[in-house]
Amino acid sequence: MDQAPGSPQEPQGTHGLPSCYRHPGRETGITCTRCERPICTDCMVSASVGFQCPECVRTGSGTGHAPGADRPRTVAGGAVAADPHLITKILLAVNVAVFIAVLAVDDLVYRLTLIGFAIDPRLGEVVGVVDGEWYRLITSMFLHEQFWHIGFNMLGLWWLGRPLEAALGRVRYLSLYLLSGLAGGALTYLLNAPNQPSLGASGAIFGLLGATVVLMRRFRYDMRPILVLLALNLFITFRYQDIIAWEAHVGGLVAGVIIAYGMIHAPRAHRSLVQAVTCGAVLLASLVMVVARTMALS
């Protein structure tokens, strides 16, 4: 139980030093410059002179500030990095590297593409997620066969990814990308024929597209350009669904909207918790789809 400011007794440590009033048992030689209660390093808040305890900061004049509180933050609470586009560059490089590997290794595309369950005559073996090859849900996100395919996807990654990474921060942006791609793959696996292969970063790119819609709405930008782009992409998706996995596009888009909304609109007091729960919910939904389809095909 916290003691009131000015209490005549303070908890004592085992070596004669007082214990932090918020964490009994933690010895400290630091005291709050306002109420003079002992505080540990986790509780001390930098002030213009010395340190203050969290309660004095909350109830005082606001001159104190937590360590790192003056560090620039993104709209989602992420740290502003020196290179705000680093993760986008890395993701682009990984996609290009895998594409080059596919061109150099004959059967690599067949070993990494997303497929539910089939006998691949080119490999002469049973393949698919049902056969225990769960990694295909991830590797297929970075896999492309045609130059036009990787070209369009990497253009989308570069155009959409850079402002999103700058707005969200590296960790949140990477979570958005990977979870959107996974959700797109999970929905494809759930609804596609088990022997129908699927590959490409389109699910993740559609997740970035959905997140861009949420971000632009948050800042009250002109929504017409992004909505036209979204409508055009959805039209192409369903018009040419004989060669396009619409499930990956829709799954990634829905996941991107949900994740971005949770990240950008999370209340400041519980921002990290809300963001983590949102990402966890999308991950859980993806795993449920994967497990349900696997059980159905087993």
Side-chain angles (χ1 to χ4, degrees):
M1 181 176 179
D2 292 348
Q3 291 180 288
S7 297
Q9 295 180 350
E10 301 291 355
Q12 296 294 316
T14 57
H15 299 288
L17 291 175
S19 293
C20 173
Y21 81 95
R22 301 178 78 242
H23 300 97
R26 290 190 188 179
E27 298 181 353
T28 180
I30 305 169
T31 58
C32 173
T33 55
R34 296 186 64 186
C35 68
E36 298 185 351
R37 287 182 294 178
I39 48 176
C40 65
T41 54
D42 289 341
C43 296
M44 67 183 193
V45 179
S46 299
S48 55
V49 178
F51 300 98
Q52 296 178 8
C53 67
E55 289 185 14
C56 286
V57 171
R58 286 196 299 268
T59 60
S61 61
T63 56
H65 57 279
D70 54 352
R71 184 182 306 164
R73 292 283 173 179
T74 68
V75 66
V80 175
D83 183 356
H85 308 140
L86 178 62
I87 300 301
T88 299
K89 296 174 184 176
I90 292 175
L91 290 171
L92 195 150
V94 171
N95 277 278
V96 172
V98 174
F99 180 67
I100 294 173
V102 165
L103 297 178
V105 181
D106 290 337
D107 63 351
L108 185 61
V109 67
Y110 308 120
R111 296 189 179 277
L112 299 183
T113 192
L114 174 60
I115 193 165
F117 189 63
I119 298 177
D120 194 325
R122 290 156 296 202
L123 299 177
E125 58 188 50
V126 176
V127 298
V129 178
V130 177
D131 196 45
E133 297 173 338
W134 299 85
Y135 61 85
R136 290 176 179 268
L137 290 160
I138 304 298
T139 56
S140 60
M141 294 165 47
F142 300 93
L143 197 62
H144 301 84
E145 270 191 293
Q146 292 85 17
F147 282 97
W148 67 265
H149 192 196
I150 190 172
F152 277 114
N153 279 342
M154 293 305 98
L155 181 63
L157 172 59
W158 185 249
W159 187 65
L160 297 170
R162 290 178 302 153
L164 277 173
E165 182 179 353
L168 299 179
R170 290 176 178 174
V171 174
R172 291 165 177 81
Y173 169 71
L174 182 60
S175 300
L176 168 69
Y177 184 92
L178 295 178
L179 288 174
S180 296
L182 178 61
L187 188 61
T188 302
Y189 175 52
L190 178 68
L191 300 179
N192 253 354
N195 64 340
Q196 177 64 48
S198 176
L199 71 165
S202 302
I205 303 303
F206 264 76
L208 301 186
L209 183 57
T212 300
V213 172
V214 175
L215 184 66
M216 292 184 67
R217 185 176 183 275
R218 166 66 174 78
F219 287 126
R220 298 184 179 180
Y221 292 156
D222 183 2
M223 298 290 294
R224 287 173 294 182
I226 193 65
L227 292 178
V228 169
L229 180 63
L230 176 59
L232 177 62
N233 276 274
L234 288 175
F235 171 78
I236 294 173
T237 295
F238 289 102
R239 174 64 178 81
Y240 299 100
Q241 55 184 294
D242 53 330
I243 61 172
I244 295 177
W246 67 267
E247 301 90 346
H249 292 189
V250 172
L253 177 66
V254 172
V257 169
I258 294 173
I259 294 170
Y261 191 90
M263 288 184 174
I264 295 172
H265 293 280
R268 184 181 298 270
H270 305 288
R271 183 158 52 192
S272 296
L273 176 61
V274 171
Q275 292 171 348
V277 169
T278 302
C279 290
V282 172
L283 176 60
L284 179 61
S286 301
L287 294 178
V288 167
M289 287 189 286
V290 171
V291 171
R293 181 60 165 168
T294 301
M295 293 178 63
L297 294 177
S298 298

